[in-house]
Amino acid sequence: MRTVALAGPPNVGKTTIMSRVCRANLEVGNWPGVTVERKTCTYEFRGKRYRLIDLPGTYSLTAFSEDQRVARDYLLGRTDGKPDAVVVVGDALNVAGAVRVFLEIAELGYHHVILAVNMLDEAERTGIGIDLKRLERELGAPVVGLSAKRGYGIERLKRAIADVVQGRVEPNPISLRYPREVERAVKKLAPEVGGKLREYPPRWAILKLLEGDPELLQELEKRDPELLKRVKEVKKRIAERTSHDPAVLISQARDELATRIARSCVTGRPSLSRQDRIDRVLTHPVWGTLFALGVLGTVFALSFFLGDPISELVEGAFDHLVWFARGLPAPWSDVFAEGVIPGVGTVLAMYPYVFVMLLLLTVLEDVGYTARLAALASGLLARLGLHGKTVFPAVLSLSCNVPGITASRIIEDERARLLTAIVVPMIPCGARLEVITFLTAKLPDPWRVPAAVSIYVVALSLFAVTSYVLHRLLFGKPEPHRGHVIELPRLRKPHLRTVLTVTWLRSNEFLQKAGTIILAASVLLWTATRYPKPLGTGGSAIELVGKSLEPVTVALLGLDWKGAVAPLNGIVAKEIVISTLAMLHAHPTPENAYVLTLVSALYIPCAATIGAVYSETGSLRYTALSVAANLSLATLVGAAAHHALVALGGWTRSYVVFP
């Protein structure tokens, strides 16, 4: 089987291409050792089998982020062997961006490379024409035009891949020449660097060292510190002679060539006036923020509206399973009826909400709104003492805090990088979002959406305030940081097939967790309710722990011992908060359910997140500070919410019931 990698910038339709080529036969997992998502699929063409691998979207192969490192390591053959060919996918409305990635991959020594220009239909609608034949001559490699959403050009892409892989077409990619000072440095350092970093192409390795690639600099320091000093001296001399950092010279050379090639092959100008007017609203500090809150409220409202009836059906099905389990012989009847089924079943009752929410978030990502949200937040983050680039770890953390913390490596400023790693765990991740959605869904109808949105607003506000305060305490008054560029993809209609495929793949992770971690935790929790004495006697392990916490949690948060142990168990995985409440037959008031949800969204992150903070900061002090900030703020805000609700008289005297 031949392997083909799909590379290119983000938001260019690689997943849509995969679903078209492989007829939605996608597999998803994580790249070895990291939490970056990995999509693969297989297909057959003219009697030969091919395997497609979707590399993380990236504008560069310099290892400033986990995505870039994953893509680069695979192309270097450090993951599971080099691919037989690389297809660089680009947007027809930004050909220069795709050419830039093409040039970097060609520098790695790849000759079996193809450029796929996607979204030709959108380019045509906006008056853009692309001379694909000329682009092919300029690059010295096959160029295929396609519209993956419509299925146009997919067969030509398969044919081009087969021709290149089987040797019927032999590409000769263009070679980029850099400014004279850079080329001199490459020629001078090539023999020594090539001898020390043998697993890398020598010319490419020297260019990356001159660009300041952190991974290669660290590797060279281990192998030959003296050579690293000479590299730094060469970089300094280039900067003195040209008045520019070598990284700037190299980047400018790539950009200039990519822009020149694109201009020579592209005709017409896109009519972006309508897009510009929309973007002015979506990225405006006031109107953009109000729109973002409206979007968040709509996502929660639709999740409740569509998820409620399905969740009730799931709960009813598991009620019948409990009745069936009662007929099993002891002790299995108790294990399943009081442990496994309530624990796993209640978490699975969350799945309709999770699927709908992931579906809506995937739609927002597919239409291009997520990038607007990042642009909206970047200016505020910089004023809080965080680098503008913190927006990328922050957005990643909305899915999972671990890759968000790891992504802080893209921030060059050391102080801002450390601060980002410390405060990012305060952003509610996907697991906490699931808990927020499920618990607030149990509140009285008029309060569900306001309650869910308020918890998110509180969490993000605390993230902002904590960032500013910690920067003042640790590093002094925040200073302006260097800006950065966020590319805004064109707003477009969502592609239903891609949205459903990606949503299913992402929601599968939730189901796998329910069948493994939650299942194991449910059995352990059941054991803790039975030993050393049964639940209700006051002598079970879980009651002993909960009762020891109850005096504090009742006084501060109004939560009894059941509400106290639920967040404690949630340190393993946030969904276990729900399992614990179900297994303990907890019936909190709506006020207590709101406080518990608020605390669950703010308190200590999961164990994996704590480990990621330590790994990224290398400091027990900073890790403890991150955990302490989450725990103390969760307690203070939860206490304030509890006493405010008591003073206001609460919502209702009804109770929240978990199956």
Side-chain angles (χ1 to χ4, degrees), residues 639-657:
H642 164 62
H643 291 291
L645 289 172
V646 170
L648 292 172
W651 287 315
T652 175
R653 294 185 181 277
S654 62
Y655 292 91
V656 175
V657 178

Side-chain angles (χ1 to χ4, degrees), residues 185-507:
V186 170
K187 185 176 180 180
K188 178 180 179 180
L189 295 169
E192 291 183 272
V193 172
K196 295 298 180 182
L197 301 175
R198 295 179 180 177
E199 65 268 42
Y200 303 103
R203 176 180 173 82
W204 179 85
I206 297 167
L207 290 170
K208 288 303 172 187
L209 288 170
L210 294 176
E211 286 184 271
D213 186 288
E215 188 173 276
L216 263 70
L217 289 171
Q218 187 178 12
E219 196 67 36
L220 186 58
E221 185 176 21
K222 291 178 183 177
R223 301 183 188 186
D224 193 336
E226 290 301 319
L227 179 56
L228 178 61
K229 288 181 182 178
R230 289 199 292 278
V231 170
K232 291 181 177 179
E233 289 171 1
V234 170
K235 287 182 63 177
K236 185 178 179 181
R237 284 199 297 271
I238 293 175
E240 290 172 349
R241 292 173 182 173
T242 64
S243 300
H244 291 289
D245 187 276
V248 175
L249 295 174
I250 293 170
S251 180
Q252 284 180 344
R254 290 197 190 109
D255 288 341
E256 288 171 3
L257 179 58
T259 302
R260 181 188 66 76
I261 292 174
R263 284 177 177 172
S264 70
C265 304
V266 178
T267 58
R269 281 188 176 181
S271 176
L272 297 178
S273 57
R274 185 181 178 187
Q275 289 272 321
D276 289 340
R277 288 196 298 270
I278 295 173
D279 283 339
R280 286 194 188 103
V281 174
L282 297 182
T283 59
H284 189 275
V286 177
W287 304 120
T289 301
L290 292 176
F291 185 84
L293 291 174
V295 168
L296 182 62
T298 302
V299 167
F300 278 118
L302 286 174
S303 298
F304 296 146
F305 177 74
L306 298 174
D308 275 348
I310 307 174
S311 180
E312 289 173 4
L313 288 175
V314 174
E315 290 176 356
F318 277 95
D319 285 342
H320 283 89
L321 282 178
V322 170
W323 175 82
F324 175 78
R326 292 293 183 191
L328 295 175
W332 301 111
S333 59
D334 288 344
V335 172
F336 282 96
E338 299 180 14
V340 173
I341 294 175
V344 176
T346 307
V347 170
L348 287 177
M350 295 168 59
Y351 182 71
Y353 299 110
V354 172
F355 185 87
V356 173
M357 183 159 289
L358 287 174
L359 176 69
L360 297 173
L361 294 178
T362 304
V363 168
L364 293 176
E365 183 179 352
D366 198 46
V367 301
Y369 179 67
T370 304
R372 272 86 184 162
L373 196 59
L376 175 68
S378 61
L380 173 63
L381 294 174
R383 288 193 290 272
L384 296 172
L386 295 165
H387 198 287
K389 287 184 180 179
T390 298
V391 69
F392 300 112
V395 170
L396 279 174
S397 291
L398 293 172
S399 173
C400 177
N401 290 147
V402 174
I405 295 166
T406 304
S408 64
R409 297 175 188 175
I410 67 172
I411 301 171
E412 299 90 349
D413 186 287
E414 182 67 13
R415 292 180 175 182
R417 186 186 69 79
L418 287 172
L419 185 60
T420 298
I422 293 170
V423 298
V424 152
M426 301 191 71
I427 296 176
C429 62
R432 283 185 269 190
L433 179 60
E434 293 159 7
V435 174
I436 292 171
T437 307
F438 187 75
L439 283 176
T440 51
K442 298 294 183 180
L443 298 177
D445 279 334
W447 300 104
R448 301 159 86 186
V449 173
V453 172
S454 70
I455 291 171
Y456 239 84
V457 170
V458 168
L460 295 177
S461 299
L462 288 175
F463 165 76
V465 172
T466 305
S467 301
Y468 184 81
V469 171
L470 287 181
H471 197 290
R472 293 294 297 259
L473 292 175
L474 296 174
F475 309 123
K477 187 177 179 179
E479 299 177 357
H481 293 289
R482 286 185 294 167
H484 65 290
V485 176
I486 297 177
E487 182 178 348
L488 298 181
R490 283 180 59 80
L491 293 168
R492 55 176 63 93
K493 293 180 181 178
H495 184 235
L496 182 61
R497 181 176 182 176
T498 301
V499 167
L500 291 175
T501 300
V502 172
T503 302
W504 169 249
L505 293 173
R506 288 175 173 173
S507 63

